[in-house]
Amino acid sequence: MSARVERATAQAADLDDEARDARYANPFAPPDETEAAAEARPRSLFGEILDWMLAPLLLLWPMSIAVTYLVAKSIANGPFDRALETDAYVLARQIHPVNGVAELSLPDATRDFLSADNVDKVFYQVLGTRGELVGGDRDMPLPHEEDRPPPGLVEFRDDVLRGNDIRVAYTTVEFPQTPGSLPVLVQVGETLDKRSQLANDIIKGVILPQFVILPLAIVLVWFGLSRGLAPLHALQAHIRARRPDDLSPLESRRAPPEIEPLVTSFNDLLTRLEQNMELQKRFIADAAHQMKTPLAGLRTQAELALRQDVSEEVHRSLEQIATSSEHAARLVTQLLALARAENRLSGQIFAPVEITEVARNAVRDWVQAALAKQMDLGYEGPDEAVEIDGSLLMLREMLSNLIDNAIRYTPAGGRITVRVRPDAATRQVHLEVEDTGLGIPVAERARVVERFYRILGREGDGSGLGLAIVREIATMHGGTLTIEDNVYQSAPRLAGTLVRVSLRAREAARDLP
């Protein structure tokens, strides 16, 4: 038994270890969707307040109807009870003792008075001193002996006669005391039709307006909540309308007192975020300086050593050191550019940029590298100025990476064209770099923009970061990156590469050329 328990415990521990290893195999993996779905999502503040306001209102409404019904019955009973009480007094005055026995003498006027009701049925009963029936209905129910009122006092009760609910007013009449005699019991009862009709009329007069008031109250509550939450929506719109690089604090004094602590906390977060970004920018600048300087020194020392009289093996090693240091410096530059591009809130301030001038300067910077590989590097664009809103440093880096990629992967003697093409219809500016290289297969175009990805079998000493940087910078500026074939005009069966970055043109008073 103990061995079986130990095996079960060991199996459970193995399962726990496997689940833990699977969970922490990739610590940067996104959380499990099932776990996120299992967590209850918080309800909206508007819905929560609306529920807590309308739920009591809807619960109190039936209670209001019940209380109204009881009050209406009480109001309806009042005048009819007084009329019934009057009938009981009138009937009691018509009882006279004759030789110690109660006799009832009803004049025609009194009889007509008791039967004058044309809605309800009226019943009466008079019981003598020995309990005998003096007049009226024999089958009227009797009150309990202890409930009989004293002479001259009228009391009321609800009872049933012949299947009908009736309201009974009863009193007693005392005669001269005789041995074994009881007070004369006088009862007058009537059905409840008039009372019910009056109670229903009162309820209708109270309830029917509520059917109009309740929906109106719900609409007013909805409108009041919407107006009350308007500052939250205004704050949301204000935050969404801010530029990504705007880390200035919000005006907490203009916020309602209930959300002022939230705005203050958000401002504290913005302050900490700005400090962190300043530290990151400082780190990137220091890293660029600290890493580029040793690599430049290493390359310089290798080139100086190549001028010395050394053996062929040492000469090849020095050439390899110089080339590797150059590649390392370029890789460091690209990594730092990618870090700046991915950090879209790192204080990059967008300003009007004349993109044709940026493109011409980029072509001018890479002319020597193109001539070294016997390539024709040219520029095509409009004569007029074309402006976009962006970061001049990032746009230069983007064009430099596009031209560098074209030079690296185009065979010697090829042709590279940098083009600026404004599109007035879509209010966009297209930056295009086309080459006469080997082209990029359609199946590979979605992957070449990934970091450190290179097409197998391709010659070239690139690091696989150029197009990744281009994509991040284009996304930072709200643009799109497209890779197509560049069909040779001289040889239509061959195709190079056409990389197009489409950016939003700056709004200006004049139309684009």
Side-chain angles (χ1 to χ4, degrees), residues 426-444:
T426 60
R427 304 293 298 178
Q428 286 186 328
V429 178
H430 303 294
L431 301 179
E432 297 177 348
V433 177
E434 62 180 25
D435 58 56
T436 57
L438 301 177
I440 300 177
V442 178
E444 299 285 348

Side-chain angles (χ1 to χ4, degrees), residues 263-281:
V263 176
T264 304
S265 301
F266 185 74
N267 289 336
D268 294 339
L269 176 62
L270 289 178
T271 303
R272 295 195 300 269
L273 182 61
E274 186 176 12
Q275 294 174 353
N276 291 336
M277 288 182 175
E278 289 295 331
L279 292 176
Q280 185 177 11
K281 287 194 295 183

Side-chain angles (χ1 to χ4, degrees), residues 16-35:
D16 292 340
D17 292 340
E18 292 177 1
R20 183 187 58 203
D21 295 340
R23 176 67 183 87
Y24 294 103
N26 184 7
F28 300 102
D32 191 358
E33 295 182 358
T34 57
E35 295 178 1

Side-chain angles (χ1 to χ4, degrees), residues 10-126:
Q11 291 177 357
D14 293 339
L15 291 176
D16 292 340
D17 292 340
E18 292 177 1
R20 183 187 58 203
D21 295 340
R23 176 67 183 87
Y24 294 103
N26 184 7
F28 300 102
D32 191 358
E33 295 182 358
T34 57
E35 295 178 1
E39 298 180 358
R41 184 178 179 182
R43 296 190 58 193
S44 68
L45 186 62
F46 183 86
E48 193 74 20
I49 297 177
L50 192 65
D51 287 349
W52 280 103
M53 293 186 69
L54 293 184
L57 182 63
L58 296 177
L59 289 176
L60 290 175
W61 188 50
M63 297 177 60
S64 172
I65 294 177
V67 172
T68 302
Y69 177 74
L70 295 177
V71 172
K73 286 188 65 176
S74 176
I75 294 174
N77 282 334
F80 294 110
D81 282 352
R82 286 193 292 273
L84 202 60
E85 181 182 13
T86 301
D87 293 346
Y89 279 130
V90 170
L91 187 62
R93 290 193 183 97
Q94 308 305 319
I95 301 173
H96 306 283
V98 178
N99 298 325
V101 178
E103 287 189 1
L104 176 64
S105 59
L106 287 179
D108 294 337
T110 304
R111 196 179 302 273
D112 294 338
F113 177 75
L114 291 175
S115 60
D117 197 333
N118 57 359
V119 176
D120 286 314
K121 295 180 180 180
V122 180
F123 310 95
Y124 70 93
Q125 183 187 64
V126 178

Side-chain angles (χ1 to χ4, degrees), residues 81 84-86 88-89 92 149-156 168-172 186:
D81 282 352
L84 202 60
E85 181 182 13
T86 301
Y89 279 130
L153 181 64
V154 178
E155 291 188 359
F156 299 90
V168 180
Y170 57 99
T171 185
T172 57
V186 178

Side-chain angles (χ1 to χ4, degrees), residues 191-202:
T191 54
L192 307 179
D193 293 340
K194 292 194 303 294
R195 301 167 186 263
S196 300
Q197 184 177 357
L198 180 58
N200 291 336
D201 292 339
I202 296 174

Side-chain angles (χ1 to χ4, degrees), residues 248-271:
S248 60
L250 302 173
E251 296 184 13
S252 59
R253 291 178 300 176
R254 299 180 60 182
E258 290 77 11
I259 63 174
E260 185 176 356
L262 176 63
V263 176
T264 304
S265 301
F266 185 74
N267 289 336
D268 294 339
L269 176 62
L270 289 178
T271 303

Side-chain angles (χ1 to χ4, degrees), residues 159-457:
D159 221 318
V160 178
L161 175 62
R162 302 168 191 169
N164 297 319
D165 293 329
I166 60 173
R167 182 75 168 170
V168 180
Y170 57 99
T171 185
T172 57
V173 178
E174 189 174 10
F175 283 175
Q177 293 293 332
T178 57
S181 64
L182 297 173
V184 177
L185 177 63
V186 178
Q187 296 189 106
V188 180
E190 67 177 359
T191 54
L192 307 179
D193 293 340
K194 292 194 303 294
R195 301 167 186 263
S196 300
Q197 184 177 357
L198 180 58
N200 291 336
D201 292 339
I202 296 174
I203 293 174
K204 288 178 183 179
V206 175
I207 298 300
L208 289 180
Q210 291 186 6
F211 281 102
V212 179
I213 294 174
L214 185 63
L216 183 60
I218 294 175
V219 172
L220 292 177
V221 167
W222 187 288
F223 178 75
L225 278 179
S226 301
R227 293 286 297 174
L229 296 178
L232 289 178
H233 297 300
L235 179 63
Q236 177 187 10
H238 176 67
I239 294 176
R240 286 187 174 181
R242 304 185 78 176
R243 297 180 60 88
D245 55 328
D246 186 4
L247 297 179
S248 60
L250 302 173
E251 296 184 13
S252 59
R253 291 178 300 176
R254 299 180 60 182
E258 290 77 11
I259 63 174
E260 185 176 356
L262 176 63
V263 176
T264 304
S265 301
F266 185 74
N267 289 336
D268 294 339
L269 176 62
L270 289 178
T271 303
R272 295 195 300 269
L273 182 61
E274 186 176 12
Q275 294 174 353
N276 291 336
M277 288 182 175
E278 289 295 331
L279 292 176
Q280 185 177 11
K281 287 194 295 183
R282 192 179 302 116
F283 168 76
I284 291 175
D286 295 341
H289 176 73
Q290 296 296 330
M291 297 178 71
K292 286 183 178 180
T293 302
L295 291 173
L298 179 61
R299 180 183 177 186
T300 301
Q301 294 298 325
E303 290 177 349
L304 290 175
L306 285 173
R307 299 177 184 177
Q308 305 298 323
D309 187 11
V310 295
S311 62
E312 184 177 354
E313 289 81 3
V314 175
H315 191 275
R316 285 197 301 269
S317 298
L318 291 174
E319 286 182 345
Q320 187 64 33
I321 292 174
T323 303
S324 298
S325 61
E326 181 181 1
H327 292 169
R330 176 61 181 165
L331 178 60
V332 169
T333 301
Q334 288 185 320
L335 286 173
L336 294 174
L338 183 62
R340 287 195 300 268
E342 287 180 338
N343 188 8
R344 300 172 189 173
L345 298 178
S346 60
Q348 296 291 344
I349 300 177
F350 286 180
V353 177
E354 212 285 284
I355 196 62
T356 57
E357 182 181 356
V358 175
R360 284 193 294 265
N361 291 336
V363 170
R364 189 180 301 115
D365 293 339
W366 287 92
V367 166
Q368 294 299 327
L371 293 177
K373 293 187 66 173
Q374 302 176 356
M375 295 181 181
D376 179 13
L377 176 60
Y379 165 77
E380 295 178 2
D383 296 332
E384 297 84 358
V386 179
E387 290 187 344
I388 65 172
D389 286 327
S391 170
L392 178 60
L393 179 63
M394 290 289 100
L395 292 173
R396 284 177 179 174
E397 185 68 29
M398 181 182 69
L399 281 172
S400 296
N401 280 277
L402 288 176
I403 299 173
D404 182 32
N405 266 15
I407 293 175
R408 290 178 184 274
Y409 295 102
T410 299
R415 184 176 67 254
I416 301 172
T417 303
V418 178
R419 183 180 299 109
V420 176
R421 185 167 56 84
D423 187 352
T426 60
R427 304 293 298 178
Q428 286 186 328
V429 178
H430 303 294
L431 301 179
E432 297 177 348
V433 177
E434 62 180 25
D435 58 56
T436 57
L438 301 177
I440 300 177
V442 178
E444 299 285 348
R445 292 176 185 173
R447 301 196 60 188
V448 293
V449 295
E450 299 176 1
R451 283 176 282 186
F452 302 108
Y453 180 79
R454 297 180 60 189
I455 301 175
L456 296 177

